[in-house]
Amino acid sequence: MAILGHPDVRRMLLSMKAQTEAMRALAYYTAAAMDRARHDPDGDARARQAALVDFLTPVVKAWPTDLACEIASTGIQVHGGMGFIEETGAAQHFRDARITPIYEGTNGIQARDLVGRKVLREGGQTARALIAAMRGDAAALGCAADADLGAIHARVERGIAAFEAATGWLLEAGASDPRLAAAAAAPYLRLVGTVAGGWLLARGAARAKARLGDGADPFLAAKPVTARFYAENVMPQADALLAAITEGAGTVLALADDQF
């Protein structure tokens, strides 16, 4: 039997596929916002899109590069012992990925930029606009009479709620103690990426369903399955990240310097 026949191997491969597609979708979404920020004939719309680009840029840099290391590591795991040595080339992908969370501004700096300059400085305005856009798409999913889209909708809604709650907490914490907000910056960035990626996969799933009709296009048919896997297996991380933000930031600052 090929190793693809093992459920755990299928789980690993689908996690790699779903997260890669989610990251790619967010990169494309941000690139489209860059175009609208430059070329939209409406000046107010250009300003809103420019703010969205500013908000998402640290997410697009940090979230995918963190995941690149995790996904490349999973690729080694799929290959087993052969993945650890040079026979397959899988280990080279991990070595190549490992530099990416470091250069162009370490991912901790990217997270600090997201929270300090893009959330606290503008009072969460762009984050809330993005949440509103997500909610509008999620509402359409909820109205669809489709089992896949209904399951995706439930998880996307929970992810959006976690994004909104985390943003509200950051605004309150940042006003009272900016160090608390900084301590929660890394999990907040990951939460934003995780939720945004799931939202965009959900949009893609809905459009793939609409285009499939009675056809059997394998590419389109894979989109709802991939989006549902992400919704049920990756999106639940948003709840855990919310807890790390709202409950765990204080302990980040709790040890004295000489206790490390």
Side-chain angles (χ1 to χ4, degrees):
M1 180 177 68
I3 64 169
L4 187 58
H6 294 284
D8 192 55
V9 172
R10 299 178 73 88
R11 176 192 63 80
M12 288 189 285
L13 292 175
L14 193 46
S15 73
M16 296 167 72
K17 173 182 173 63
Q19 291 180 101
T20 298
E21 290 189 13
M23 293 185 292
R24 186 178 293 133
L26 185 59
Y28 288 157
Y29 179 81
T30 306
M34 292 174 69
D35 283 347
R36 289 191 291 269
R38 292 169 181 162
H39 303 298
D40 195 296
D42 184 285
D44 290 339
R46 288 197 305 273
R48 289 192 298 271
Q49 292 298 309
L52 179 61
V53 171
D54 287 345
F55 180 85
L56 289 175
T57 293
V59 182
V60 171
K61 190 279 173 180
W63 177 57
T65 54
D66 280 341
L67 282 184
C69 296
E70 297 174 21
I71 290 169
S73 180
T74 302
I76 294 173
Q77 188 73 21
V78 169
H79 286 84
M82 292 175 62
F84 189 73
I85 59 177
E86 298 306 315
E87 184 172 348
T88 63
Q92 183 64 55
H93 288 298
F94 180 80
R95 287 195 295 273
D96 291 343
R98 189 58 191 85
I99 186 59
T100 58
I102 297 172
Y103 63 32
E104 296 298 333
T106 64
N107 286 357
I109 296 299
Q110 298 292 338
R112 185 66 184 89
D113 174 62
L114 173 66
V115 168
R117 295 180 181 174
K118 313 300 168 55
V119 177
L120 300 183
R121 181 178 294 182
E122 65 165 29
Q125 180 177 345
T126 301
R128 286 170 173 153
L130 180 57
I131 289 166
M134 291 179 174
R135 281 233 161 88
D137 288 335
L141 283 176
C143 295
D146 181 275
D148 286 327
L149 297 183
I152 294 166
H153 166 258
R155 277 296 174 182
V156 170
E157 284 283 11
R158 286 188 62 171
I160 296 169
F163 179 14
E164 184 174 46
T167 302
W169 184 90
L170 279 176
L171 290 169
E172 292 183 10
S176 61
D177 184 354
R179 294 177 72 240
L180 270 180
Y188 179 76
L189 184 147
R190 183 158 185 142
L191 187 154
V192 175
T194 300
V195 174
W199 160 58
L200 292 170
L201 287 184
R203 294 202 331 179
R207 292 175 185 177
K209 288 266 188 181
R211 289 182 60 186
L212 265 172
D214 297 324
D217 184 317
F219 176 81
L220 292 177
K223 292 299 181 183
V225 177
T226 304
R228 183 166 181 174
F229 174 90
Y230 186 101
E232 295 176 339
N233 292 273
V234 181
M235 191 70 94
Q237 294 175 14
D239 291 332
L241 290 164
L242 175 61
I245 293 163
T246 61
E247 301 170 25
T251 52
V252 173
L253 307 172
L255 288 181
D257 292 355
D258 61 3
Q259 291 177 297
F260 283 91

